Amino acid sequence: MDRIRVLVVDGHRIFAESLATALTAEQDVEATAVGTVAAALHVIERARAGGEPPYDVLLLDADLDGAAAAAPEEESLLAMAAERLPALRSVMLAAEDDAAQAAAALGAGASGWVAKDSSLARLLQVIRGVLRGETHVPPALLTGVLRELHRDRHHRSEHQRLVESLTPRELEVLRCMLAGLGRKAVAERLYLSPHTVRTHMQNVLGKLGVHSTLAAVALARRAGVPPADPAT
């Protein structure tokens, strides 16, 4: 029987390891725990390079990925997974419910939002559900999330106007961000210094009126901005 491969990424390492151990006790689940976004990227790349079966579900600390996305030199794991690993289903682990943050995560490619204090049975239900193509949001949060998503649709033209305020170079940088590239990768791709890329990223966030790479990526997607083409 093929086992569901789950990668747990949470800044509280003991929590991540405990959750991975509990999940792995299930006959059809195999879970790995890491405590940082960088470590998660390393584990994913190592598995791909070693020819191991791909991970099926990413359980990602919402606060951890948000903090990483806010730093121009870091990658948002959620954004990277959505762009480069389309078969990987991402579920955000949240310390508290936040409709706006949940809606942004769903807009950026997440398939679910679940509270960290949920029961193991509920978490397994979500894991198996997203693999069937379902989207999971707590019932108490659903109205707020739908309201945020409805508001986002009305704001699409405003998002497009904000994107149009970017210079051609800033738009290039934004498209690289959409492709999941970090600051160093963008610098190499566009033949710019990391410092210049950081300045462009900060300008992009300022002009779009957001405070993190994740939010910028979500806004750009809603505005219909395409990601940069894969490097050849």
Side-chain angles (χ1 to χ4, degrees), residues 165-176:
S165 73
L166 302 178
T167 67
R169 179 62 84 185
E170 289 166 352
L171 181 58
E172 282 186 292
V173 170
L174 177 59
R175 293 187 63 205
C176 287

Side-chain angles (χ1 to χ4, degrees), residues 68-84:
E73 68 274 11
E74 298 289 342
E75 283 188 287
S76 160
L77 184 56
L78 173 60
M80 184 280 292
E83 292 298 337
R84 296 191 228 164

Side-chain angles (χ1 to χ4, degrees), residues 45-88:
E45 290 304 321
R46 185 178 63 190
R48 294 173 69 184
E52 298 177 23
Y55 284 96
D56 303 297
V57 177
L58 171 67
L59 297 181
L60 179 58
D61 181 351
D63 292 332
L64 179 67
D65 197 59
E73 68 274 11
E74 298 289 342
E75 283 188 287
S76 160
L77 184 56
L78 173 60
M80 184 280 292
E83 292 298 337
R84 296 191 228 164
L85 304 169
L88 180 65

Side-chain angles (χ1 to χ4, degrees), residues 19 25 37-38 48 54 75 80 88 112 121 125 146 165 183 186 211 227:
L19 180 54
V37 170
R48 294 173 69 184
E75 283 188 287
M80 184 280 292
L88 180 65
Q125 179 186 37
L146 291 176
S165 73
R183 189 177 72 180
V186 175
H211 301 288

Side-chain angles (χ1 to χ4, degrees), residues 31-47:
T32 302
V34 295
T36 66
V37 170
L41 292 170
H42 176 72
V43 167
I44 291 172
E45 290 304 321
R46 185 178 63 190

